[in-house]
Amino acid sequence: MKVSVIIAVYKDVEALELIIESLKNQTYKNFEVVIAEDGQDEKMQAFIKSIKDLDIKHTTQEDIGIRKTKSLNNGIIASEGEFLIFIDGDCIPYSTFIESYVKISQDGFIISGRRVNLGPKYSKKLRNKIISPLELEKTFLLRYIFISQDCKEGHSEDGFYFSPDGWIYNKFIKNRKASTSILGCNYACFKKDIIAINGYDEGYGETAIGDDTDLEWRFKALGCKIKSAKNVANVFHLYHSRSFRNRIDTNKYLEIFKENKLNNKFICTFGLSSH
């Protein structure tokens, strides 16, 4: 199965370099990388042009404020895979990331992953190349206490990996009750399903509503179910200060969201078809 890994990026070339390094170490090989840039940064463009040994596509748009949903729609349009995996530009996948998603993929399901929040110490080690993503992944168990102490946001336990082919996963994890809410920074779906809902809704301005909350109910209204990839399709999330987007007044857009949901408008107006 051909997979498209769609990465939402904005100016952080250093983080993208770590993601690309990790993608080169993937155990699953039939994939392309779609770098969906919300902007047209020269340093980003130069780095992407330098990437070798990966099938790369790069989409850009004018930098006139946060337009992540529009940028991701650009990425969907450019993608050629039948299965799409979405990650943010500060999330570094494990080497088993794509393989794990493919193994637990299922028609009619959206697969929802989680992220291992790293604190400033380990994020700096990765950015300064003191430790590689692969080394951190392979030594996670030994470093777990130190990683959890470094990060005050929690979710360090999401870094434990269990193979979807293994006994532990099939006995204890596969059917456990776990949060399946979609996180826009790490989830996957069949391309046909996101096309059926007309992609991301670009009508939510600079808020984060369109990244995941809006997507989830529209996928469910389409008839899709949500399946957890916790402890299976893992990513390291680099530490950073909170975005100013968290201070944007979302009340107007929450009302739009509620109205759309009330009217069962799960095929959005301002989506893929508006490109």
Side-chain angles (χ1 to χ4, degrees):
M1 178 166 67
K2 177 69 176 286
V3 175
S4 297
V5 180
I6 301 178
I7 311 170
V9 301
Y10 180 73
K11 290 193 174 183
D12 193 344
V13 177
E14 196 172 72
L16 180 60
E17 187 176 354
L18 291 168
I19 294 170
I20 294 299
E21 177 186 345
S22 190
L23 290 175
K24 287 183 177 181
N25 289 322
Q26 290 298 301
T27 53
Y28 190 87
K29 303 301 183 183
N30 187 16
F31 70 95
E32 65 175 2
V33 181
V34 182
I35 301 171
E37 182 185 0
D38 185 8
Q40 297 172 324
D41 184 68
E42 291 182 2
K43 291 181 180 178
M44 181 71 69
Q45 184 175 358
F47 170 68
I48 293 170
K49 285 183 177 179
S50 74
I51 299 172
K52 293 179 173 57
D53 303 322
L54 285 176
D55 180 5
I56 300 286
K57 291 183 173 67
H58 179 206
T59 62
T60 66
Q61 60 190 19
E62 190 179 0
D63 187 356
I64 52 172
I66 297 172
R67 295 189 298 160
K68 182 182 177 183
T69 50
K70 181 177 178 64
S71 182
L72 286 168
N73 280 339
N74 292 337
I76 294 168
I77 291 168
S79 68
E80 295 182 4
E82 63 178 289
F83 189 67
L84 310 182
I85 301 174
F86 295 87
I87 60 173
D88 279 354
D90 55 7
C91 291
I92 306 167
Y94 279 33
S95 61
T96 52
F97 181 70
I98 300 175
E99 180 182 6
S100 296
Y101 261 126
V102 169
K103 284 184 175 179
I104 65 174
S105 64
Q106 188 176 350
D107 193 31
F109 281 79
I110 311 303
I111 316 298
S112 173
R114 289 294 179 266
R115 66 188 192 184
V116 187
N117 289 321
L118 297 178
K121 179 180 176 181
Y122 271 92
S123 297
K124 188 175 181 179
K125 283 186 175 185
L126 283 170
R127 287 184 180 273
N128 292 343
K129 296 181 171 53
I130 296 170
I131 186 173
S132 71
L134 186 60
E135 184 183 354
L136 187 57
E137 169 194 339
K138 298 302 183 184
T139 61
F140 181 81
L141 180 61
L142 296 173
R143 298 174 185 269
Y144 171 69
I145 292 177
F146 304 106
I147 290 171
S148 60
Q149 289 175 342
D150 184 39
C151 179
K152 306 304 180 185
E153 297 182 14
H155 302 293
S156 299
E157 70 281 359
D158 290 346
F160 292 112
Y161 167 74
F162 299 98
S163 169
D165 294 326
W167 179 78
I168 294 177
Y169 172 78
N170 286 285
K171 181 70 174 178
F172 299 106
I173 297 176
K174 184 177 181 180
N175 297 314
R176 71 181 172 182
K177 291 183 179 179
S179 174
T180 56
S181 59
I182 292 176
L183 294 181
C185 64
N186 181 12
Y187 82 97
C189 65
F190 283 95
K191 187 174 182 178
K192 63 181 177 65
D193 291 326
I194 201 159
I195 287 176
I197 62 172
N198 200 23
Y200 286 81
D201 191 336
E202 300 170 21
Y204 290 108
E206 296 188 348
T207 70
I209 297 170
D211 291 4
D212 37 44
T213 307
D214 174 71
L215 271 181
E216 181 165 328
W217 85 265
R218 291 197 291 126
F219 274 132
K220 287 180 177 178
L222 179 66
C224 294
K225 297 179 181 178
I226 315 293
K227 183 177 180 180
S228 174
K230 185 176 181 179
N231 297 119
V232 180
N234 298 349
V235 299
F236 290 117
H237 176 240
L238 295 170
Y239 175 83
H240 57 80
S241 59
R242 291 293 181 180
S243 168
F244 76 89
R245 180 166 66 176
N246 294 301
R247 298 192 292 271
I248 293 172
D249 184 8
T250 62
N251 290 332
K252 179 181 79 170
Y253 296 105
L254 283 172
E255 290 303 314
I256 294 172
F257 168 74
K258 291 175 184 177
E259 186 176 346
N260 287 342
K261 196 171 181 180
L262 181 65
N263 295 324
N264 201 33
K265 188 182 175 184
F266 65 88
I267 301 175
C268 64
T269 301
F270 302 107
L272 294 171
S273 61
S274 62
H275 284 237

